[in-house]
Amino acid sequence: MADRRPARIAALRDSLIAAHIDGLVITSLPNVRYLTGFSGSSALVLVTQRDLYFITDFRYDTQVGEEVGDLATIRIEQQSLWTGLWNLAGSLSGLEVVGFESSHLLHRDFQRLLTDGTRWQWRPQVNLVEALREKKDADEVALIRKAGEMAISALKKTLGEVRPGLTELNVAGILEKALRDQGSEDFPFATIVASGPRAALPHARASTRVIEHGDLLLVDFGAQYKGYCSDITRTVVIGPASEEQRAVYDIVQQANAMASKSVRAGMKGQDADGLARRYIEDRGYGDAFGHSLGHGLGLEVHEAPRLAKSVETLLGEGSVVTIEPGIYRPGWGGVRIEDDVHLAPGGPEILTDFTRELLEVA
Ligand code: ZN
Ligand code: ZN
């Protein structure tokens, strides 16, 4: 893989000029990882037009050398990362106005900016690095695709073992073990396994509920590979599906297919959302689809862009988004089908290639 970090840092420097700031202090760990490759949990990065400073603590002494190398000037700080920044600031000249990431700074740390250390003027910034992260390069798309393949393999294995009498937590355990066996580094979010009436709760976590014959079973989870996440949902029936289950499923399946096929870079987020929503509304289930159609995906499981009713922002070319229509009926259950889609220049590419037909398992 080519080293994309210098180009990313160069693009960020252009953004600093546009934002009229001399430097930016980066505290978001996914943003740090995107720019430098560092995968640890303690880092503060200062980007200026000339330099890149990386401050971490002694636990990461070896790791930062391996992952960041000579891309940045590395400082290992014994006390706190902020003390490291103040010490550094004393030796820097030519910086007057410095930005900080206002979405990723604790209020406690913000107060330190105002009271401690430097004579810089601080300017809150949002989305400078996130905006760059929205457009995925070929390597990033390949990593998300790989994370999707891991998730699909784990799902196949799990569906082969699901049966009445297991709890949702049992199923989550089988799935998470399979994800680890596939090489998933982590679980991007708490695995959702929702059965029977609990499938009507869009964000139910796995519970002790015992799965019964005839249940809908909704599974929403992801894998993580080299930092990049996948996010997939399938809904199956335990045993033969009823007519009603099949009817609801068919609507969600159609909505998923239409949106996955038609979503394009350059569309407004709300228009993408409408691709699936209109179809569901026309079939009388508009009120039962209470969440947005999807979200961007990458180093974080929720990132730019958003596909939702109120979003007028355009979907960026090269972004990877989820398409996840659902229908939820309290007391009855729910169906969601979620895929990850790359908005390539030539049109959408589905990265999670696993059947969307209604599976009757066990
Ligand atoms: Zn999901
Ligand atoms: Zn999702």
Side-chain angles (χ1 to χ4, degrees):
M1 274 196 249
D3 185 0
R4 312 266 184 181
R5 297 174 302 171
R8 292 172 183 176
I9 293 161
L12 179 60
R13 286 181 169 138
D14 289 344
S15 303
L16 300 192
I17 292 170
H20 305 288
I21 51 178
D22 303 320
L24 178 68
V25 173
I26 296 165
T27 46
S28 150
L29 289 169
N31 286 347
V32 167
R33 185 165 189 170
Y34 179 77
L35 293 169
T36 69
F38 180 70
S39 65
S41 65
S42 167
L44 205 60
V45 169
L46 171 65
V47 186
T48 70
Q49 288 302 333
R50 246 200 1 233
D51 297 306
L52 184 66
Y53 293 98
F54 192 106
I55 306 170
T56 184
D57 68 56
F58 69 96
R59 292 171 299 166
Y60 292 110
D61 201 345
T62 306
Q63 183 177 334
V64 72
E66 288 167 2
E67 291 182 339
V68 181
D70 53 13
L71 183 81
T73 305
I74 295 167
R75 296 175 72 122
I76 305 295
E77 179 54 42
Q78 304 297 336
Q79 291 184 40
S80 85
L81 302 185
W82 292 103
T83 308
L85 183 65
W86 308 149
N87 291 340
L88 173 65
S91 69
L92 297 179
S93 58
L95 294 186
E96 285 175 20
V97 184
V98 176
F100 63 91
E101 295 186 294
S102 63
S103 309
H104 308 291
L105 193 69
L106 294 174
H107 182 254
R108 181 189 70 204
D109 293 328
F110 172 70
Q111 286 178 313
R112 292 195 212 189
L113 296 187
L114 298 183
T115 55
D116 295 3
T118 74
R119 281 195 298 258
W120 297 336
Q121 293 175 47
W122 290 101
R123 292 278 161 76
Q125 301 294 324
V126 286
N127 294 339
L128 287 186
V129 184
E130 287 87 340
L132 303 177
R133 280 169 48 194
E134 183 174 341
K135 183 184 174 109
K136 269 70 182 176
D137 61 45
D139 293 337
E140 293 180 289
V141 174
L143 295 176
I144 298 170
R145 188 191 291 275
K146 174 81 177 160
E149 288 166 0
M150 287 177 173
I152 289 165
S153 298
L155 179 62
K156 284 181 183 163
K157 178 161 197 311
T158 305
L159 293 179
E161 296 182 29
V162 166
R163 58 182 189 281
L166 295 179
T167 66
E168 294 170 359
L169 281 165
N170 291 148
V171 174
I174 295 167
L175 182 64
E176 291 180 353
K177 162 83 164 61
L179 285 167
R180 290 294 196 186
D181 289 344
Q182 286 297 319
S184 180
E185 300 155 353
D186 204 346
F187 310 119
F189 55 95
T191 300
I192 296 173
V193 178
S195 62
R198 294 192 77 253
L201 311 171
H203 259 217
R205 290 194 178 180
S207 78
T208 55
R209 183 181 182 278
V210 176
I211 293 166
E212 295 171 17
H213 190 79
D215 278 352
L216 286 164
L217 181 73
L218 185 156
V219 187
D220 183 354
F221 66 101
Q224 197 176 3
Y225 181 63
K226 296 192 177 175
Y228 284 82
C229 305
S230 58
D231 180 8
I232 179 169
T233 307
R234 289 293 183 268
T235 308
V236 301
V237 180
I238 309 299
S242 70
E243 245 172 68
E244 199 178 13
Q245 286 169 336
R246 196 167 282 285
V248 170
Y249 190 93
D250 286 347
I251 295 169
V252 177
Q253 186 186 1
Q254 272 301 317
N256 169 288
M258 288 169 54
S260 297
K261 194 174 63 191
S262 308
V263 66
R264 291 283 187 287
M267 242 179 201
K268 284 182 183 173
Q270 60 191 188
D271 293 338
D273 179 87
L275 294 171
R277 190 169 306 280
R278 261 195 314 280
Y279 184 82
I280 291 174
E281 281 171 356
D282 289 350
R283 271 134 202 95
Y285 284 104
D287 292 340
F289 177 22
H291 58 74
S292 55
L293 180 64
H295 52 85
L297 187 69
L299 286 169
E300 290 178 284
V301 76
H302 290 105
E303 56 179 61
R306 290 198 309 129
L307 291 67
K309 255 190 232 179
S310 59
V311 174
E312 295 187 12
T313 320
L314 306 186
L315 304 181
E317 188 178 292
S319 58
V320 173
V321 300
T322 67
I323 297 290
E324 48 181 304
I327 292 179
Y328 311 94
R329 295 166 63 189
W332 180 81
V335 173
R336 177 164 69 254
I337 305 173
E338 176 179 24
D339 286 298
D340 303 340
V341 179
H342 173 221
L343 305 185
E349 288 173 356
I350 297 177
L351 303 179
T352 44
D353 191 17
F354 180 61
T355 185
R356 290 156 208 93
E357 297 301 317
L358 179 55
L359 296 178
E360 299 169 318
V361 303

